[in-house]
Amino acid sequence: MTDSPECAAGGIAVTRRVVLGAGASAVAGPALLKGHHVHAQPVPTPSGIENPLLLSFTVNGSSLELDIDARASLLDVLRERLGLTGTKKGCDHGQCGACTVHIDGRTRLSCLTLAAKMNGRQLTTIEGLSDGDTLHPMQTAFVDHDALQCGYCTPGQIMSAVACVRQGYASSPESIRDFMSGNICRCGAYVGIVAAVAAANSSEG
Amino acid sequence: MRTIGYERPETLDAAIAAYSGSGSGSRYIAGGTTLYDLMKLGVETPTHLIDITAIANLDRIETEGDVTRFGTMALMSDVAETPAIRTEYPVLSESLLKAASQQLRNMATVGGNLLQRTRCPYFRAGNGVYPCNKRQPGSGCAALGGLDRSQAVLGASGSCNAVSPGDWPVALLALDARVEIIGIDGQRTLPLDGLYRLPAERPEADHNLNPGDIIIGITVPKTAAGRASTYHKIRDRESFAFALASAAVAMEIEGAVVRDVRIALGGVATLPWRARQAESVIVGRTLTRELAVEAGRAAFQDARPGRHNRFKIDLGVQVVADALMIAAGRNVR
């Protein structure tokens, strides 16, 4: 568990992710955080999947196999089966960007990605960006520039922001805004988001 | 709850055999950004998905020969950022970069993009909330006389006025692109303007593909008009929105005279729309702003607005005129 404890009850450290993960998959979730290398981690299959498909892919550096429903989205597999709830479900139709992840190093929308198509591919989620307790520079920039209000869109914003810098589109506010237009923030924290991306870009450059 | 089959063949022959063997509920899936979205809305209800993304060599971008060729599985983002396309065919690159979001452009293929379905809100409402002749043939059209701000002013019929949503097909149409198709009966090619259907009859059919057909490539003949080209798109917000009106323009100017010009329209018609009347206004003459506006008016002379989309005509005229002036400014001779 890489989260720092948010409260301690009766000497037992309780973290936000443990609470969120309870009932979903406290088994697989924590192991898929970066820094924990588990190979071919078995994930229990819920009852009631007809004609399951065996999916084998790499999540935040860990090889993984599980049986999935052929109709399932990558987003639902991440959240419901693997307990990786950092990736958010906003519109579920490719219009808001909250579910943005990196597949084979490129930003893609996990809500419109059929999980079955992930076979053999490399996935990075927001949980895979930090190095243990050390935040990714883009995460730090979002904190420093107050680039969020409610925070729901933030994981998707950060995944796109990392790609924006990596691909060289962070050279001007206009270019950042255009590149980031697939990530909607209904709180309207855009000013902070653009500032965070620009700052992360100059500190990397 | 509906179950669904999924398979991932590794050759075109295997994909077509899979289609033949699994019946009319089958759909090919590549990027999936349209199909999977419409499955969630209940508009598409396939029983079997044939994933064609494992088939080798379908994603090549070939810029060297007499024609430029895009393998069907090339991603929108990869085509948009190919250096030779950016310089030789700005209209193609711009049409892709002004479409969707960077995440979607990393998913959607240039072949699948040709078959993107309309964003008509009554079509997408699904589940029988509103009648829609595209979704349920013969059920009627709620968009005609309804909230039709986004609907077509060109090419509509008494049964459908849904806008063709794409940008890329509009740019390809201006360059006389052709589409390579493989199907149960073998291989053939179609001019792009032969791919799409007006909604006069059978509005549920967007295109002239047969069951089991796969688009495998798109070819664009090399033309001197490619360099002086642009895709000009006006929308409700500056990025990540569908066109209210757009124009693809490619031209060749010799001396002061326009020798060749191609104009195609998006966001205003039921299919990617070639504006040949507008082209004939300009060919052989010297382009001025006044002539460009005259061409824009010619492009919309047959337009028929509904209740809330009359603005698309005035907007479209200016979009065509602006696109012509932008393209002319790129003519270097």
Side-chain angles (χ1 to χ4, degrees), chain A residues 6-94:
Chain A
E6 290 175 348
C7 63
I12 301 168
V14 179
T15 69
R16 184 164 169 268
R17 191 160 281 113
V18 167
V19 175
L20 289 174
S25 148
V27 179
L32 297 171
L33 301 174
K34 195 174 170 185
H36 297 251
H37 296 286
V38 178
H39 295 285
Q41 173 81 31
V43 177
T45 304
S47 55
I49 297 183
E50 286 183 47
N51 305 318
L53 281 178
L54 180 63
L55 173 64
S56 172
F57 69 137
T58 304
V59 183
N60 298 331
S62 298
S63 303
L64 194 74
E65 283 191 352
L66 73 165
D67 284 321
I68 58 162
D69 189 311
R71 300 163 302 169
S73 70
L74 173 60
L75 175 61
D76 284 346
V77 167
L78 285 174
R79 294 184 55 85
E80 307 295 331
R81 300 289 308 285
L82 302 179
L84 291 174
T85 52
T87 305
K88 300 301 187 224
K89 182 181 279 193
C91 68
D92 208 21
H93 286 280

Side-chain angles (χ1 to χ4, degrees), chain A residues 34-178:
Chain A
K34 195 174 170 185
H36 297 251
H37 296 286
V38 178
H39 295 285
Q41 173 81 31
V43 177
T45 304
S47 55
I49 297 183
E50 286 183 47
N51 305 318
L53 281 178
L54 180 63
L55 173 64
S56 172
F57 69 137
T58 304
V59 183
N60 298 331
S62 298
S63 303
L64 194 74
E65 283 191 352
L66 73 165
D67 284 321
I68 58 162
D69 189 311
R71 300 163 302 169
S73 70
L74 173 60
L75 175 61
D76 284 346
V77 167
L78 285 174
R79 294 184 55 85
E80 307 295 331
R81 300 289 308 285
L82 302 179
L84 291 174
T85 52
T87 305
K88 300 301 187 224
K89 182 181 279 193
C91 68
D92 208 21
H93 286 280
Q95 298 171 10
C96 76
C99 69
T100 303
V101 295
H102 294 179
I103 299 173
D104 294 339
R106 298 173 79 151
T107 51
R108 288 180 164 103
L109 300 172
S110 59
C111 78
L112 288 188
T113 299
L114 204 62
K117 290 165 67 72
M118 288 301 295
N119 215 29
R121 307 184 81 170
Q122 303 267 345
L123 174 73
T124 304
T125 68
I126 187 72
E127 290 91 344
L129 276 191
S130 62
D131 184 4
D133 286 339
T134 306
L135 294 180
H136 185 280
M138 188 63 72
Q139 293 174 307
T140 305
F142 267 62
V143 173
D144 290 347
H145 291 270
D146 205 15
L148 57 132
Q149 194 176 121
C150 83
Y152 196 81
C153 72
T154 309
Q157 299 278 2
I158 289 175
M159 297 310 284
S160 286
V162 169
C164 183
V165 171
R166 192 184 288 159
Q167 293 172 37
Y169 286 96
S171 54
S172 71
E174 294 73 29
S175 176
I176 292 170
R177 285 179 180 274
D178 185 59

Side-chain angles (χ1 to χ4, degrees), chain A residues 71 93 107 111 117 169 181, chain B residues 2 30 36-37 40 81 102:
Chain A
R71 300 163 302 169
H93 286 280
T107 51
C111 78
K117 290 165 67 72
Y169 286 96
S181 65
Chain B
R2 286 186 296 269
Y36 197 30
D37 180 35
K40 293 182 181 191
E81 298 189 8
Q102 47 91 16

Side-chain angles (χ1 to χ4, degrees), chain A residues 168-193:
Chain A
Y169 286 96
S171 54
S172 71
E174 294 73 29
S175 176
I176 292 170
R177 285 179 180 274
D178 185 59
F179 189 91
M180 297 291 292
S181 65
N183 290 83
I184 309 296
C185 170
R186 279 298 174 245
C187 299
Y190 296 113
V191 172
I193 292 168

